[in-house]
Amino acid sequence: MLSIKNLHARVEDKEILKGLNLEVKAGEVHAIMGPNGAGKSSLASVLAGRENYEVTEGSVTLDGKDILEMAPEERAREGVFLAFQYPIEIPGVSNINFLKTALNEIRTHRGLDPMTAKEFLQKSKEKQALVEFDAKLVNRSLNEGFSGGEKKRNEIFQLAMLEPKLAILDETDSGLDIDALRIVSRGVNKLRSENNAFILITHYQRLLDYIVPDYVHVLSDGKIVKTGGKELALELEEKGYDWLK
Amino acid sequence: MTTKQLESPLYESLQAQFEIVSLQDQHEATKAYRAQAMETFRALGFPSIKNEEWRFANVLPLVKTTYEVSADKNAQISEDALAQAKALIAAHKEDILPKLKGEEKGAYRLVTINGVFSKELSFLPDNAGITISTIGEAVDHPGYQEYFGKIVTLENNAFASLNSAMFTDGLFIELKANTVLDMPIHIIKVKLASGNALFQPRNLFIVRKNAQMDVIETYISDADNEAAILINGVSEIALEENAHFFHYDIQKGCKNIRKIQRNEAVQQKHSNYSNYTFTFPGSSFTRNNLTIHLNDEAIESHLYGLYLTAGEQLVDNHTEVHHKKPNGESNQLYKGIIMDKSKAVFNGKIYVYEDAQKTNAFQQSNNVLFGEQAMVHAKPQLEIFADDVKCSHGTTIGQLNKEAIFYLKSRGIGEEQAKQLMVKAFAFDVAEKIKIPALRSYVEEMITEEMKGH
Ligand SMILES: Nc1ncnc2c1ncn2[C@@H]1O[C@H](COP(=O)(O)OP(=O)(O)OP(=O)(O)O)[C@@H](O)[C@H]1O
Ligand SMILES: [Mg+2]
């Protein structure tokens, strides 16, 4: 599904990704771990199309399509979804209107009719229940005044609504209380299918107890330096990252 | 003339026109007022950009044009004009206020064509508590005698002086004590002209004790018209004790319209005047002067402004709030979205007089630049002579938040629509102050509409 080859990227003259390779197949869950500042969020940003990152070498394809050429909204319509490490607050933009607009843009792109108000409401209710997202929050301004955990849950609610092919969760587990972590994980597990894939960026192997990954990668200094199964996460928990340098 | 004044052929032709207007006026007091105002205008002349108050609003192109001055007080509406006005209003109704059609529901409608009141196209309240007439017909009305010419400040106001000297049309609306109008009055001003024309409407609104009304003003002209139309309007507004007046001025004119408007209000105890001046793309030159006198204790004044500008438009808002007595509260919130090569100006003055203890005066001007060549000049000016007051002001000029736009795009929303959402969000706190739901959705739709392609 996703194929990243020799990816080099920089931000403001600083090289951050230094030849990164990653293959993700449909139905798989990949975890990416690594020290602070290694470039994990940068990788997520490059995949989502954040403007200040400049790709200097390498390629990224999604089901054979070069996504680096696409604007962020086109990537989203093609099925890329990034759950942000720090979701932004946008006062005045209603959460639900925003989601409806987004969903219909994506549907249009896939050649589907826009959802009726009723269908949308139905779907929204269903997904709210799935991730136990408070109905009151759905009707508020986008993330405005949300607690850290509520923002993260909103990201997962959006993910559930938009049903992307490839979801990248950037430290969605940080800031979640134990119950929320369980709920969010359960939600993600229900959303898993043979047709989609997940990349989980995390510092804690605890998340991986709930969402069991097929692969664990260590990203350090802009490259994947080690890849293993889920037992690698436990090893990292014990030994840290120094032994890999 | 000093360099603060402009020389213009218009100035000369106005002198001559004044004689005619003055001769036609049969009302002695008004005639004397006109003469005095003309004196003031002569002394002031048209302001140049060296005049501090007009620094960013160059009126030279406006006064270089010669206009046909509508000096005929007894002008009638021709059959043709009526037919054309009907067509324009029909289109206007489709376009504006779909729910405020004035069709015996939603709003009353008061139509003027080139300043002449059209009974046929209007739908007026059947309420003994309200008087609606032309300003010319109102001269013997006690309200006219009490307030006309006594509210607007002519000193240092060349355009207001000119209007006072030469107005030939306008409306007089008085709401008697304890009258509460059940629906807003929508005033539609139709401007038709085959050649360049100068209109100087003069309105007087009086809201007596415990009375309440909502007025929406809009104006329309023929979009294909090439003729330059200059509107130099003045409205005097009086609110007596505990009166409430919600005054909406929705400005969306065609390119050929240039507009200079002065609204000046006097308020008595416990009254609430709320002004909403919303300007949209269209008119090439708009200058709004809004001045409020809080002449008594415990008064509330709200000044809400929204300007969405495009093309090479200039929109200049000057406000003045005079807190003269204790316990007054004024609240100014002006928001601007400046696109293309347009220019916006906000100048907000707050005066707190020595007696005006416990005043609460708030002013906020937020601007978003939406084009490389868009410009904004925003300046608060506070003069405070009382010691126990709460005053705050803030000015921001910025771009749309790039992170927020990225967030919206990352969910599949296109650039243009993301920006629209952001602009609506930016304008939200002003738009939500509109008390008439249909008008609010109209304003929101207009924002979306006008943002298209930007
Ligand atoms: N706009 C920027 N300008 C300069 N440096 C940047 C910019 N954005 C990111 N960086 C740098 O890039 C490096 C990688 O940052 P990134 O956020 O990708 O790390 P991370 O692996 O996600 O770390 P963490 O675990 O702390 O979230 C860091 O050294 C960071 O300071
Ligand atoms: Mg990070």
Side-chain angles (χ1 to χ4, degrees), chain A residues 11-12 14 16 36-42 52-53 85 171 203:
Chain A
V11 59
E12 287 164 20
K14 190 178 168 202
I16 300 195
N36 292 130
K40 302 181 297 296
S41 293
S42 298
N52 53 342
Y53 284 86
Q85 183 173 4
E171 294 198 26
H203 286 294

Side-chain angles (χ1 to χ4, degrees), chain B residues 403-431:
Chain B
E403 278 299 300
I405 290 177
F406 175 65
Y407 188 93
L408 298 175
K409 283 162 71 169
S410 79
R411 298 299 182 245
I413 297 174
E415 170 107 15
E416 196 175 303
Q417 209 169 2
K419 285 180 176 174
Q420 263 177 35
L421 280 172
M422 293 294 294
V423 166
K424 265 203 213 162
F426 171 76
F428 175 80
D429 51 353
V430 179

